Amino acid sequence: MLEPYVADADLVMVYLIGVLAVAVNGRLVPSLTTAGLSIAAYDFFFVLPRYTFAVHDADFLITFAVMAVVGALISNLAARIKREARLEGAVETERMRNAVLSSVSHDLRTPVGVILGAAETLLDTKAEVSAHARNELVATIRDEADRLARLLRNLLEMTRIAGGGMHLACEWHVPEEIVGGALARLEPQLVGRPVRVDIEPGLELVRVDGTLVEIVLVNLVENATKYTPPGTAIDVVVGRRGSAACFEVLDAGPGLPLGSPDALFEKFVRGHAGAEGVGLGLAICRAIVEAHGGRITARARDDGPGARFVVDLPGAGEQPPGVPIGSTESTVSS
Amino acid sequence: MTATVLVIEDEPQMRRFLRTLVTGHGYRVLEAGTGEEGITLAATHAPDIVLLDLALPDIDGLEVTRRLREWSATPIIVISAREQEQDKVRALDLGVDDYLTKPFGAAELLARLRAALRRSQRIQGSESATFSFGDLRVDLATRRVVRGGEEVHLTPIEYRLLVLLVRHAGKVLTHRQILQEVWGAAHTDHPHYVRVFMAQLRRKLELDPARPRYLATETGVGYRLRTSVTDALDENATPDEDEETPT
């Protein structure tokens, strides 16, 4: 009944698309099976005499043979492409793992060494250690343990993200609160530094994963404290750009290192060789920002010396339905 | 009278650290290595406060909380790893009083212990009618809020929110708990209500709303009214000292 509308050639096209669809979404055997079944169905329903597997016109045997060969080729090709993609993923994971191992052994050995040395000195009954020196050693143990904790936190975060474990829990957040949370976490590093927070009035709420965006800001502000001279100002600016929320961290330091600013966001890249940390902060930022569908860029400031990190996140579009507020009268009763 | 702390923690080194720290500051210690043991000890010894690690080998910390809360109002402070944020919030909603995230410092632990004990020792009905922190004075009787001598006008919701924080001063409140108390049970799925109003409160009451001294945000969990600026890190007070300034 479809005869006037469907030519034989069209049916063959449909067949090919069908096989390709199964090959891309499934595996080799199902796609080969699809090919076989499709050819049989084509024979049964469309090739004269209808509703039998017999064939009046011998030409169709050649058609079937070609369909079978093409179907098999497509299936094989798709299977091979998928296998190669999987391999590439495995190679990348392996490379990551090696980089992590070498970085870990290099950067974590020092604090561990210091802690061991300090502890052993304290336990050494033969050593003459004054009370003052004792306190210093213990304080050193605490400081190095702190450093280890921070390094490990970054490593864990990165491993979780790289393992595809980033699951965004987006809610409506007050931008000032996310900034405040980040600054609170960095209080010791921010001592003696003027920090200016500028939130665009009217940007009430942004729809993001608050915990993750806070991590981005912590990493950006922490970098600013690491790479700029003590006492120099750090600015955090939040504004709206269309339907995107724009978080910026600006410093007044020496600016970005030479080379492509994009390279800074690669894993295990550090601002300069002797810097503290494993070099994952910006990579983590990028992973989080991109998971939100946003963009993070680094550039020089155009209003003076220093670096400017810009994070654009979608999520400042339509504001959520209004918050029930009750009456707006004040509470003062006469 | 010295307070007794029940430590429910499976890792021996952690237990040792907690025991040393807590006894060094004048408390008595009871120890349990599993959840069941902890519940039994709580029932037989009636400790004044419980330190509970959320990750236990036999039954998880949330289950321990549920069971303890069936018959006990003893303050519970949970210890959790950074990744267990959901569990922390769930524990707070189940009735746990406060939390600590590993790695935490000794000062933080002691401050939380003291605050929780203080709160539980306060007798109901003897609540003061006014509350002061920083240059702010909240008079619950006349419903007035004064900042640095000048009156602050709050909307009814803002006031309800502030009073809730004041009544639970020093204790963390989850978004859900706040929503329930201030907006009612129907709105517990809208944490952004709380965020918007906390932002408004901070703007009216804090010198720098982005870096509040008293109306503290606990990321991923909720809010806490700090009773003193150094509430989180007070190393000098002893267990029985009362640091609040109710008038």
Side-chain angles (χ1 to χ4, degrees):
Chain A
M1 4 110 222
L2 286 172
E3 247 195 287
Y5 304 105
V6 182
D8 283 343
D10 296 327
L11 285 173
V12 177
M13 296 296 159
V14 169
Y15 158 81
L16 287 176
I17 292 172
V19 172
L20 189 57
V22 176
V24 161
N25 291 310
R27 297 175 40 172
L28 189 58
V29 170
S31 83
L32 287 174
T33 314
T34 308
L37 286 175
S38 307
I39 296 177
Y42 181 52
D43 179 7
F44 195 76
F45 289 105
F46 293 99
V47 172
L48 296 170
R50 292 257 180 79
Y51 309 109
T52 72
F53 284 112
V55 167
H56 273 164
D57 194 340
D59 281 345
F60 276 108
L61 289 177
I62 301 179
T63 310
F64 293 159
V66 172
M67 282 170 83
V69 167
V70 171
L73 279 175
I74 291 178
S75 308
N76 262 302
L77 207 62
R80 186 149 19 127
I81 291 175
K82 284 176 79 174
R83 200 176 22 232
E84 258 159 40
R86 229 190 338 244
L87 226 70
E88 217 178 276
V91 166
E92 166 70 19
T93 310
E94 191 55 36
R95 197 150 42 94
M96 226 320 253
R97 210 192 325 242
N98 289 335
V100 170
L101 281 174
S102 71
S103 199
V104 162
S105 60
H106 187 259
D107 295 290
L108 301 191
R109 249 202 305 229
T110 315
V112 171
V114 171
I115 291 173
L116 270 176
E120 273 170 9
T121 308
L122 285 167
L123 286 167
D124 186 357
T125 48
K126 281 182 269 170
E128 291 267 338
V129 186
S130 70
H132 173 74
R134 269 184 187 279
N135 268 351
E136 279 198 344
L137 284 173
V138 173
T140 304
I141 292 179
R142 196 243 348 252
D143 292 338
E144 294 302 297
D146 246 340
R147 181 168 311 160
L148 270 178
R150 260 180 288 147
L151 291 179
L152 280 171
R153 196 210 323 142
N154 265 1
L155 272 174
L156 274 172
E157 242 144 43
M158 200 63 222
T159 325
R160 212 166 14 131
I161 289 170
M166 184 133 53
H167 155 74
L168 290 189
C170 288
E171 284 182 6
W172 290 102
H173 282 273
V174 172
E176 171 191 88
E177 215 169 69
I178 303 180
V179 173
L183 295 177
R185 285 228 252 151
L186 292 168
E187 250 181 69
Q189 289 101 309
L190 290 171
V191 167
R193 277 186 188 270
V195 178
R196 282 191 291 266
V197 176
D198 182 1
I199 317 256
E200 188 181 299
L203 182 59
E204 271 289 331
L205 292 168
V206 294
R207 191 167 178 83
V208 293
D209 183 317
T211 315
L212 290 179
V213 173
E214 190 182 282
I215 291 175
V216 170
L217 289 175
V218 165
N219 285 346
L220 290 178
V221 175
E222 193 172 35
N223 269 2
T225 64
K226 281 201 284 212
Y227 295 106
T228 67
T232 55
I234 297 177
D235 296 344
V236 182
V237 179
V238 187
R240 188 207 296 260
R241 279 212 206 142
S243 67
C246 181
F247 289 78
E248 291 189 38
V249 175
L250 303 98
D251 64 59
L256 297 175
L258 293 168
S260 153
D262 267 353
L264 286 174
F265 295 97
E266 294 294 315
K267 298 184 188 79
F268 306 112
V269 168
R270 273 180 286 191
H272 52 262
E276 201 188 286
V278 191
L280 283 174
L282 288 177
I284 292 173
C285 289
R286 183 163 67 178
I288 293 174
V289 170
E290 285 177 359
H292 278 84
R295 220 170 43 124
I296 179 168
T297 48
R299 49 184 105 132
R301 286 178 85 151
D302 38 33
D303 60 345
R308 182 174 164 207
F309 285 82
V310 182
V311 174
D312 287 297
L313 296 169
E318 254 184 64
Q319 299 282 281
V323 181
I325 57 169
S327 88
T328 49
E329 283 163 30
S330 85
T331 58
V332 177
S333 47
S334 47
Chain B
M1 209 187 74
T2 36
T4 308
V5 180
L6 168 60
V7 172
I8 309 180
E9 165 64 64
D10 64 312
E11 273 174 60
Q13 294 93 319
M14 190 61 176
R15 258 204 324 269
R16 179 165 31 148
F17 159 60
L18 291 172
R19 180 199 323 145
T20 315
L21 176 62
V22 152
T23 51
H25 281 260
Y27 298 95
R28 271 205 298 263
V29 148
L30 286 167
E31 288 174 51
T34 66
E36 291 290 351
E37 226 184 295
I39 295 177
T40 310
L41 281 179
T44 54
H45 288 69
D48 297 289
I49 185 164
V50 178
L51 272 181
L52 167 64
D53 190 322
L54 279 183
L56 290 170
D58 54 342
I59 52 177
D60 80 41
L62 290 176
E63 185 56 30
V64 174
T65 305
R66 240 173 256 132
R67 285 169 55 181
L68 283 176
R69 278 286 170 261
E70 274 168 20
W71 49 268
S72 157
T74 311
I76 303 174
I77 298 181
V78 287
I79 297 172
S80 74
R82 198 171 287 276
E83 297 77 51
Q84 296 174 281
E85 216 159 60
Q86 303 276 50
D87 285 348
K88 237 164 23 198
V89 175
R90 236 173 269 145
L92 286 165
D93 285 331
L94 281 174
V96 143
D97 292 60
D98 217 323
Y99 69 96
L100 282 157
T101 313
K102 284 194 279 215
F104 55 85
E108 218 183 314
L109 170 68
L110 289 170
R112 297 265 206 263
L113 272 180
R114 274 199 304 276
L117 280 169
R118 250 202 326 261
R119 276 191 305 265
S120 78
Q121 281 157 12
R122 218 179 292 147
I123 309 152
Q124 279 289 16
S126 77
E127 274 172 33
S128 62
T130 65
F131 194 89
S132 302
F133 52 97
D135 61 350
L136 277 156
R137 227 180 106 95
V138 182
D139 190 328
L140 301 171
T142 59
R143 297 167 68 89
R144 289 175 81 219
V145 179
V146 174
R147 182 182 168 198
E150 280 196 33
E151 181 132 16
V152 180
H153 295 282
L154 298 179
T155 68
I157 295 262
E158 284 168 1
Y159 181 73
R160 275 225 291 271
L161 182 51
L162 180 62
V163 166
L164 179 67
L165 288 165
V166 159
R167 287 210 209 279
H168 295 270
K171 177 169 149 52
V172 64
L173 293 170
T174 63
H175 295 102
R176 185 184 205 86
Q177 286 167 339
I178 297 174
L179 281 164
Q180 185 117 18
E181 290 295 319
V182 177
W183 276 274
H187 297 279
T188 48
D189 283 326
H190 300 109
H192 69 276
Y193 293 178
V194 185
R195 293 190 187 116
V196 168
F197 275 86
M198 282 304 297
Q200 278 167 217
L201 268 186
R202 281 195 305 266
R203 259 172 253 149
K204 290 188 178 174
L205 304 178
E206 290 275 356
L207 190 62
D208 184 354
R211 301 181 79 178
R213 292 172 80 186
Y214 299 102
L215 298 168
T217 307
E218 311 255 322
T219 311
V221 178
Y223 299 90
R224 184 197 306 264
L225 176 63
R226 292 206 202 116
T227 50
S228 70
V229 177
T230 53
D231 194 26
L233 299 162
D234 202 331
E235 300 194 61
N236 300 313
T238 61
D240 295 320
E241 224 175 81
D242 196 323
E243 288 131 8
E244 270 178 39
T245 53
T247 44

